[in-house]
Amino acid sequence: MTSQAATSPVASDDTLIDRYRDVRARTEALCETLEPEDMVVQSMADVSPAKWHLAHTSWFFETFVLARGDDYRCFDPAYEYLHNSYYNSVGAQFPRARRGLLTRPTVDEIRRYRAHVDASLIRGLERGLLDGAARGVIELGLHHEQQHQELLLMDIKHVLFQNPLYPAYRETPAREPTEAPAFAWIDCPGGIHSIGAEAGDGFAFDNEGPRHRVLLEPHRLANRLVTNAEYREFIRDGGYRTPSLWLADGWALVQTERWSAPLYWVERDGEWFEFTLAGLVPLDPAAPVCHVSFYEADAYASWADARLPTEAEWEVAAAERPPRGRFLDFGRLHPAPASGPGLQQLYGDAWEWTRSAYQPYPGFRAAAGALGEYNGKFMCNQLVLRGGCCATPSGHLRASYRNFFYPHQRWMFSGIRLASDRGDRAA
Amino acid sequence: MTSQAATSPVASDDTLIDRYRDVRARTEALCETLEPEDMVVQSMADVSPAKWHLAHTSWFFETFVLARGDDYRCFDPAYEYLHNSYYNSVGAQFPRARRGLLTRPTVDEIRRYRAHVDASLIRGLERGLLDGAARGVIELGLHHEQQHQELLLMDIKHVLFQNPLYPAYRETPAREPTEAPAFAWIDCPGGIHSIGAEAGDGFAFDNEGPRHRVLLEPHRLANRLVTNAEYREFIRDGGYRTPSLWLADGWALVQTERWSAPLYWVERDGEWFEFTLAGLVPLDPAAPVCHVSFYEADAYASWADARLPTEAEWEVAAAERPPRGRFLDFGRLHPAPASGPGLQQLYGDAWEWTRSAYQPYPGFRAAAGALGEYNGKFMCNQLVLRGGCCATPSGHLRASYRNFFYPHQRWMFSGIRLASDRGDRAA
Amino acid sequence: MTSQAATSPVASDDTLIDRYRDVRARTEALCETLEPEDMVVQSMADVSPAKWHLAHTSWFFETFVLARGDDYRCFDPAYEYLHNSYYNSVGAQFPRARRGLLTRPTVDEIRRYRAHVDASLIRGLERGLLDGAARGVIELGLHHEQQHQELLLMDIKHVLFQNPLYPAYRETPAREPTEAPAFAWIDCPGGIHSIGAEAGDGFAFDNEGPRHRVLLEPHRLANRLVTNAEYREFIRDGGYRTPSLWLADGWALVQTERWSAPLYWVERDGEWFEFTLAGLVPLDPAAPVCHVSFYEADAYASWADARLPTEAEWEVAAAERPPRGRFLDFGRLHPAPASGPGLQQLYGDAWEWTRSAYQPYPGFRAAAGALGEYNGKFMCNQLVLRGGCCATPSGHLRASYRNFFYPHQRWMFSGIRLASDRGDRAA
Amino acid sequence: MTSQAATSPVASDDTLIDRYRDVRARTEALCETLEPEDMVVQSMADVSPAKWHLAHTSWFFETFVLARGDDYRCFDPAYEYLHNSYYNSVGAQFPRARRGLLTRPTVDEIRRYRAHVDASLIRGLERGLLDGAARGVIELGLHHEQQHQELLLMDIKHVLFQNPLYPAYRETPAREPTEAPAFAWIDCPGGIHSIGAEAGDGFAFDNEGPRHRVLLEPHRLANRLVTNAEYREFIRDGGYRTPSLWLADGWALVQTERWSAPLYWVERDGEWFEFTLAGLVPLDPAAPVCHVSFYEADAYASWADARLPTEAEWEVAAAERPPRGRFLDFGRLHPAPASGPGLQQLYGDAWEWTRSAYQPYPGFRAAAGALGEYNGKFMCNQLVLRGGCCATPSGHLRASYRNFFYPHQRWMFSGIRLASDRGDRAA
């Protein structure tokens, strides 16, 4: 957690209660269409069962706010071990890869746990029993819960995809087909810029700071995300069979995993379909390609004679714009085609892989204590993604927001924006 | 499937309907205490989710009886692939190790599937539309479903054991502690005997025949199963740390798996507890040791200066007695201490490991067609167990019944009876 | 080791010295065509480097004969750990799967170690310092060394096969092509027979006894081993793609390992070649198929509407004949086509898979002490092979000899003889 | 390969011949103390057998220089496949992890291959048949061979370490014990600096360019490498048991691999020893800690309340100094204690882990063709190390030199230099 969070002006208790209720209710609303059976299964080690997300987000408030108060009545002492994600400072954790083996507590029991935590926490806020530090942690806990809202959607999508029946998470309204705007380069100037979250300037995770200067060379960014049609062309051109396009580790993975398309693409009788949260649908050529690994994004960029942007390039461009885009509230639960002139889709639709390794900013120091484990210990082997996606809760994103995944992962809503060093190159 | 089954006198339709209803209802009754969450999870590749058992046993009747009739309306064509266990002749199978990834069909949908199959099959029987072959397959299907009743209990026990909360499947009534009778050898004569199921002499699986002659040398059998107290003594004496007691493959497994006790034994503050279907309870010293692998059974026998019986030795002794014992109807769901003089516990309580490799009897030939895959293709790498256990449906067992597992497996209710070649040895 | 060996009349010291020198020299002669580089590599965990075989066979004499005397000067104390194969009673072992990581001692150092052991042991014999028990162990050690002569050839063949250059171990003289005799069944009577080695009746390993009675039903044995031509027909007929022919574990292996032919068959431009100790040669259709697993042998038998023999069936037939055949001295280092009428190839050419699990004979008890680990602890998960092969030292084999391998293994010279229960079946 | 190399002034043919002979002879000299047995083994996938290094470095000249000429007589066409490391553009490669399975060609055959390549190449140079591009590739090939000289030493050290006899690669002269200078921070200014190799300014690998501007904040560098004594204190203080010091991936590895000390540390009776190329020796407390992974380097820095330097911080400091240090010619084959005031050990002794991900510099583009695979495709998942080590050929290193390894690797001579952001911190 961040000194930013701790020192930034925290909302009044009334506002905080409202926000707390709203965020917590939204998590539960995401489970409305799920059966208990859907909420138990863990389809790979990276995925957590939906009921675990419901419990863990409550555990966060219980552990870091309620249990530090004097008179909290613990709901069940066994839950600490079961629902701790990775906080070694708190204690041992039930092994992550085995979360899907826990049938109990049931979904109903976890809902009662949530209600218990909510009642305790709201009572504390109503009675003014929580100091500024605690309120800061509640603020962090709400952002944490929003992250798990997105994870829950990513995870349930992966769970349902294991099933040859391709069940839908939720029906979404049909849309008129549209076309994406033509590809174009947008020129971006070089120079010294500042990126990162400024302490005291609203909530930010600790990994977004300190704000610091970076030196950029002149470059260009694509006007929109790479489309399914463009990516299909990469496939048709033998992209998955051409080692010279790939990083060595990526090419090794293509061969051992026999990758030949993005994660959720399904070929039937020569036609491409895509598994979405609304079930299996024909591939929309104008929509952004999604669920690609860093290796695929990088190989596509090589094929297109371009490269991926750095996170600083992205942030400098994004910081000039309000963080608006097609997020979770848009209701589509899938990336939509771009429209309009200029730099589009910086926010929402699909996370954008950058070529930047997820590393500490100059001067970064993780906070002391358990919440210092939130971000800092993951600053190795991962790459930064920027901009949020169709499953990111609205209001959660900002220009300095750093998401991070391993280069082989692709169950998140990850897409591609091209960049280029020089003016003389075409995609 | 067996020519025996096909040629043995099949029950009249009315009796068959009654038996069908009874067996099918018992399967569902076994799930009464389970939550939907419990019924989805697969805790290892050997285990199947409870809801899969509910579906697969229905699939069996649908595939091998109903679908071969003219006018069956299929419940859902996708189910064939999802619920086929291992019948290559029927078609491809959803991978066994991934059964726990299927959240759909839900438990409720599978119950509707069961009702649909039941209604269709009973209608066929009531209307006399099913010929003798079909009625023979129904008979087989009922024995098959009884096998899955036991599997369902084995599997749910393993699932619940993964949970550090050690939830109970069902509370069972407390019992007065009793003592087991003292260990004693029972002399058994040698000579030429016949074992195996006789064609036409009631139902038997194909692997139980043909009935054939075997040559036995004089030997001795223990009067009862090895108790927990005796096995605890083996542990105290360093049994799990003494390689000379073990088969080479067993010793390798002890080291890689770090085995130090039977599967469900749990040590707490120096005391042994045992996980049962009624939850975690103090180890009953008089009860039979259970959930041991063949390797452990064999090492125990070496330690006791004895050996395991052959399946022929067991069958010759058992064939003289009615197949009565503490099976599923006894309601304890756990092996109980022996009592009384003479050869005890041949049936029920715990399956008895034999030293006999599971191999075809002389003259055995698997049936043609899909049902020939029922038993014959597993006749390699496994060992025979005899006698049934506390989770075996009452009425399911007989002297010629051959169960079989790999030597490393121990999630079934498997115990140990000692045997000996000579009269001058003590256990 | 066996009470048989210990109590059987042991050769006079002079004869024993001659035999010792002969066997030891033959081991070294097998390495004449090898480069030091060839003698280091371990191509899979089952294989040992040639230099390890040279050392381990010396270690056997050192550990079980010399080190038990009073005045032996140890060559190098570190060798005990490095060259102990699997004798837990002797002490810890350098891990088997890592034998190929040891570059030292070098081949030359190991040759000096051999010379040291030989000089010490022959001195002891010459001076009459070794008692009957020690001379019995020397006898065992010579049979042990002969087993390693065959292992050395199996292993070096596997090592050289890893190399796309397919280097030859040794050139062998070309032979005129011949035809195999037509397939025919030989009738064999049932009844009570005795098999196994009789104590006091010449050397035998402990696993060959006790001699005991078996009950056989009338059956038939094929007149010769299955030929490459016959096996090629099985492949052409889709044998490796037809699950109904296979044991379940075998079929799983066919798919994961992508087996489509015996181990050393290599297809080039539609023609089959076979890697032999003389390099890659065109497949000889008349020669016995070799280097097949038990699963392949069993599947072939199913395809041929036959079965594999039991070890008792084989031994009863073989015991009537002298143990003569094309063994190592024949010099071909590869199975040769059968010739002549009647039951051929019982000995030599290729080991014959039986359907018999490798289990203790009635009354078997492993010897006390380290040499009790020689055979008994492997009596699980393996199947018995009979008859020796082209790489078995001449004079090593006898009718009661039991070899054993896991059903998936095929780097030994293993072939197929068919058997049948009834008179009305054709292969 | 680099445009730098191609455009930089290439040596005259006479000088090139001399350098070629010198570098090639040095490679062979490194094998003088090795037995053929030592030169075959591959102790893990990262390691290559010594004889493979001898062959591959020749393959490089053969493939990229000789085979592109008109009249080269190929030594053996099979070698291309066997000795290609990872150049997909050249063709398929014998699998890296199986290099240790190749016993042929033998060491002698490979020496003949080397002589053949050398004669052909020198003949071409003497006759002036090689154009500037070819001479540029020869230059690259010599630097490539120097890299393999270091790899050969790293690899043979790892091979010999597998052996419980701990054989020495070569005896090295004993040295007087010395003390390392006290730890001190050296202040380094911030500002805009240029790093990277300048085109035309002497040989450099392509990954060292383009030269470009970087922005540094003021920082501090440790005056010398972390010593064994200091690292031992980290261990004593529970460093390997304290998760809060570790990156998450590092902590996971510590647990699965049970790391408790650097790779070659061996504890005996409470004393630490270190395996070196001269065998097992008592740990020198004043010498730099070596053979640590990035995770260990990072955890040590956390424990010391410091951090690792960035590669730019290192290069800016190093560029002011001549690239002199204790490299391979120093003859010690192991890192030696620092001495003297100021910034010590920037070059030689041990590679210094930086916190910089190995990524392309702004404007980097891999060369076209096979030699473009030399560096660029590895720019993911690895971290940069700087400064060379005791096994790096003298003259091979320069300030812009970028070495790279995965964070878990530690068989290279990798050490730790601390850095710090602020002036008020102590190590």
Side-chain angles (χ1 to χ4, degrees), chain C residues 320-381:
Chain C
E320 299 172 0
R321 290 161 177 79
R324 285 201 293 265
R326 287 172 295 205
F327 292 118
L328 182 52
D329 277 1
F330 189 63
R332 201 172 186 268
L333 297 175
H334 201 71
S339 66
L343 208 45
Q344 297 297 321
Q345 297 182 308
L346 278 170
Y347 296 104
D349 288 319
W351 288 98
E352 305 180 20
W353 279 111
T354 74
R355 77 191 298 174
S356 298
Y358 178 50
Q359 293 194 304
Y361 282 162
F364 170 79
R365 306 202 81 194
L371 288 169
E373 298 187 55
Y374 200 110
N375 278 308
K377 71 182 182 185
F378 303 108
M379 289 179 173
C380 189
N381 298 324

Side-chain angles (χ1 to χ4, degrees), chain C residues 272-318:
Chain C
W272 284 113
F273 291 77
E274 188 173 16
F275 181 68
T276 72
L277 283 166
L280 197 67
V281 301
L283 190 72
D284 177 354
V289 67
C290 196
H291 298 294
V292 289
S293 65
F294 174 78
Y295 297 126
E296 288 162 300
D298 185 82
Y300 179 86
S302 292
W303 175 79
D305 200 20
R307 62 167 173 85
L308 300 176
T310 66
E311 65 170 324
E313 289 168 349
W314 186 93
E315 183 169 334
V316 168

Side-chain angles (χ1 to χ4, degrees), chain C residues 211-231:
Chain C
R211 190 163 174 86
H212 63 285
R213 297 181 303 159
V214 293
L215 177 62
L216 298 185
E217 303 295 333
H219 59 279
R220 305 194 302 188
L221 293 175
N223 62 324
R224 56 159 172 77
L225 299 176
V226 170
T227 64
N228 283 326
E230 288 164 342
Y231 198 84

Side-chain angles (χ1 to χ4, degrees), chain C residues 39-42 49 51-52 81-83 94-95 98-106 110, chain D residues 37-38 41 159-160 162-165:
Chain C
M39 299 176 72
V40 184
V41 170
Q42 176 176 38
K51 79 182 179 78
W52 188 89
Y81 172 62
L82 293 179
H83 301 132
F94 188 76
R98 298 172 65 81
R99 286 177 191 161
L101 301 184
L102 296 175
T103 70
R104 315 287 178 92
T106 62
I110 287 170
Chain D
E37 290 89 337
D38 299 323
V41 169
V159 166
L160 296 174
Q162 308 309 309
N163 196 319
L165 305 174

Side-chain angles (χ1 to χ4, degrees), chain A residues 100-178:
Chain A
L101 301 183
L102 296 176
T103 69
R104 315 288 177 94
T106 62
V107 173
D108 278 348
E109 286 164 332
I110 287 171
R111 287 200 170 113
R112 285 196 294 276
Y113 173 48
R114 286 182 71 87
H116 172 84
V117 166
D118 289 352
S120 305
L121 197 137
I122 289 171
R123 190 181 320 117
L125 283 172
E126 286 175 342
R127 295 183 184 173
L129 301 175
L130 301 172
D131 62 12
R135 294 207 306 279
V137 177
I138 293 174
E139 183 72 31
L140 175 65
L142 294 176
H143 290 272
H144 171 259
E145 181 133 357
Q146 288 184 310
Q147 292 183 310
H148 278 276
Q149 289 168 1
E150 178 170 341
L151 284 166
L152 193 153
L153 290 168
M154 286 159 55
D155 289 357
I156 197 68
K157 184 172 182 177
H158 194 264
V159 166
L160 296 174
F161 183 63
Q162 308 309 310
N163 196 318
L165 305 174
Y166 294 127
Y169 161 74
R170 198 169 79 197
E171 301 300 329
T172 53
R175 309 233 158 205
E176 286 300 301
T178 58

